[in-house]
């Protein structure tokens, strides 16, 4: 089958590789659509921290935002999964440790990460093998484009859930990339007044086109009380800024990751009686995201700038956004025939 393979820093190609098999408890999915995110870019450039920790080595087969149709099942898997439209969790816990047994498999010490850590080839391929326990069925009301946005949506869903917003609250989202914009969409669906803070005029202009009127830079941000601040950027200084801006007694949510350590003053955290929440993964938010998409409360499709073929992807990874792409931050790859 065809699969994207990153062979070294800044080197990727589509190769013919052996198709996966359905091991006991697993299924093989015919991938129809997959997304590209910032983690995938870091895996391509060699900047991903997992290379330094030894969790990931070249060659790498990426792809953790995906949807498809189950085509084969392994021993012990119910036959009702055959033909099902599905997406799946990225974080694959061992299933036996204390964290997994308490429902925290996404922070399992020995977890696999589909398309990110060694051992689990990703979904930028014609087929992918995954444990049946990681699957989520997709209703017909959630089309293929929306379905491949469930994983990033789950991160945003959890972030907004952690912000504990009430209707009429004022929420500030730092970083209008894919996750930040999705946070804005979920916060707006929760009845909050949403503001976005960004840096590039292109990203801020795009945010306006999808209905966000309150978009600012650090220089233009108004002096307002912020009931929740969601930090979704990769800027080293903004985690501290989020804590500075949030109202006492309210919540700051950290879902963005900078390339180097960010510092906050825990004295300010304590003296303001602020609750700070970190969000690692979409795992506990996947079902809620699917339901929100199905109900029509959140539509992630305007964020998709282009849908390209698997063969086009190595050039796009190397050269960046093509001139023909739309203004959104997300790229999708159509794989299934």
């Amino acid at each position: 089958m065809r699969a994207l393979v990153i062979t070294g820093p800044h080197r990727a190609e589509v190769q013919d590789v052996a198709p996966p098999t359905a091991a006991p408890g697993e299924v093989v999915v015919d991938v129809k659509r997959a997304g590209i995110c910032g983690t995938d870019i870091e895996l391509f450039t060699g900047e991903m921290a997992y290379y330094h920790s030894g969790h990931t080595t070249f060659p790498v087969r990426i792809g953790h935002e995906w949807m498809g149709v189950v085509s084969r099942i392994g021993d012990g898997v119910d036959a009702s999964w055959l033909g099902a439209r599905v997406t799946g969790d990225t974080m694959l816990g061992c299933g036996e440790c204390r964290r997994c047994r308490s429902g925290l498999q996404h922070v399992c010490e020995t977890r696999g990460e589909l398309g990110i850590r060694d051992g689990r080839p990703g979904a930028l391929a014609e087929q992918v093998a995954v444990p049946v326990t990681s699957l989520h069925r997709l209703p017909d009301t959630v089309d293929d484009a929306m379905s491949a946005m469930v994983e990033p949506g789950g991160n945003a869903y959890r972030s907004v859930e952690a912000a504990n917003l009430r209707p009429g609250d004022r929420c500030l989202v730092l970083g209008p990339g894919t996750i930040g914009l999705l946070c804005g969409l979920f916060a707006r669906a929760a009845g909050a007044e949403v503001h976005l803070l960004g840096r590039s005029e292109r990203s801020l202009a795009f945010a306006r086109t999808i209905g966000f009127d309150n978009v600012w830079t650090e220089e233009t941000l108004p002096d307002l009380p912020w009931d929740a601040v969601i930090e979704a950027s990769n800027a080293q200084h903004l985690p501290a800024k989020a804590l500075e801006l949030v109202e006492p007694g309210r919540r700051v949510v950290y879902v963005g990751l900078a390339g180097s350590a960010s510092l906050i003053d825990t004295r300010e955290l304590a003296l303001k009686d602020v609750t700070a929440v970190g969000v690692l993964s979409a795992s506990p938010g996947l079902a809620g995201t699917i339901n929100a998409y199905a109900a029509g409360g959140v539509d992630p499709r305007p964020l998709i700038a282009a849908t390209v073929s698997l063969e086009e992807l190595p050039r796009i990874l190397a050269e960046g956004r093509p001139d023909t792409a739309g203004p959104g931050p997300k790229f999708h790859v159509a794989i299934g025939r």
Side-chain angles (χ1 to χ4, degrees):
M1 69 171 185
R2 297 174 302 140
L4 184 85
V5 182
I6 299 173
T7 57
H10 298 278
R11 299 197 306 272
E13 58 190 44
V14 176
Q15 296 182 358
D16 287 324
V17 302
T21 58
E26 296 191 355
V27 305
V28 171
V29 177
D30 292 345
V31 181
K32 300 301 181 186
R33 185 180 284 240
I36 298 294
C37 83
T39 298
D40 297 315
I41 301 300
E42 289 185 355
L43 287 164
F44 172 72
T45 62
E47 297 171 312
M48 176 66 177
Y50 282 173
Y51 289 124
H52 305 292
S53 67
H55 287 113
T56 303
T57 56
F58 293 110
V60 182
R61 283 173 45 191
I62 61 173
H64 62 276
E65 303 176 1
W66 59 275
M67 65 78 55
V69 176
V70 176
S71 59
R72 297 200 300 277
I73 61 173
D75 291 344
V77 176
D78 193 287
S80 66
W81 283 104
L82 278 171
R85 294 178 67 247
V86 296
T87 188
D89 200 346
T90 300
M91 305 299 197
L92 306 173
C94 72
E96 299 175 357
C97 70
R98 184 172 183 268
R99 295 175 192 175
C100 286
R101 292 197 308 271
S102 61
L104 298 174
Q105 55 83 27
H106 60 291
V107 289
C108 170
E109 182 68 24
T110 60
R111 67 183 179 273
E113 295 185 21
L114 185 79
I116 300 174
R117 291 191 178 193
D118 286 352
R120 279 288 175 181
L124 279 164
E126 291 182 299
Q127 294 183 324
V128 66
V130 294
V132 70
T133 53
S134 72
L135 294 182
H136 290 261
R137 294 180 187 266
L138 296 164
D140 292 339
T141 49
V142 179
D143 68 16
D144 289 1
M146 297 170 76
S147 297
M149 292 289 286
V150 168
E151 198 279 340
N155 285 279
Y157 178 93
R158 289 192 64 210
S159 298
V160 172
E161 188 177 53
N164 198 30
L165 293 168
R166 300 175 293 224
D169 278 354
R170 185 179 291 117
C171 177
L172 176 63
V173 180
L174 310 182
T178 297
I179 300 300
L181 290 169
L182 286 167
C183 286
L185 292 174
F186 278 104
R188 188 166 66 187
E193 175 189 317
V194 178
H195 294 246
L196 298 172
L197 184 143
R199 187 170 51 190
S200 77
E201 181 51 41
R202 184 187 64 80
S203 65
L204 295 176
F206 174 71
R208 294 186 188 99
T209 69
I210 58 173
F212 293 110
D213 298 324
N214 300 309
V215 296
W216 316 100
T217 64
E218 288 189 70
E219 293 72 29
T220 63
L221 184 68
D223 184 15
L224 296 171
W226 307 106
D227 299 307
V229 179
I230 300 174
E231 207 293 290
S233 79
N234 60 3
Q236 184 182 20
H237 71 288
L238 285 183
K241 186 71 173 179
L243 180 56
E244 173 191 327
L245 290 169
V246 72
E247 278 287 278
R250 301 306 296 267
R251 293 194 171 207
V252 60
V253 180
Y254 295 110
V255 64
L257 291 174
S260 53
S262 300
L263 302 178
I264 64 171
D265 188 341
T266 58
R267 294 171 299 181
E268 187 171 8
L269 181 75
L271 292 171
K272 290 179 69 172
D273 201 28
V274 166
T275 299
V277 182
V279 174
L280 167 67
S281 82
S283 303
L286 295 173
T289 300
I290 293 169
N291 291 337
Y293 290 176
V298 173
D299 185 353
R301 290 172 293 188
L303 276 62
I304 302 170
T307 302
V308 302
S309 69
L310 194 63
E311 283 71 22
E312 292 175 281
L313 192 53
R315 178 178 55 81
I316 292 172
L317 289 171
E319 300 177 8
R321 173 184 293 267
D323 294 338
T324 55
K330 177 62 66 175
F331 276 71
H332 274 184
V333 181
I335 300 173
R337 294 186 176 92

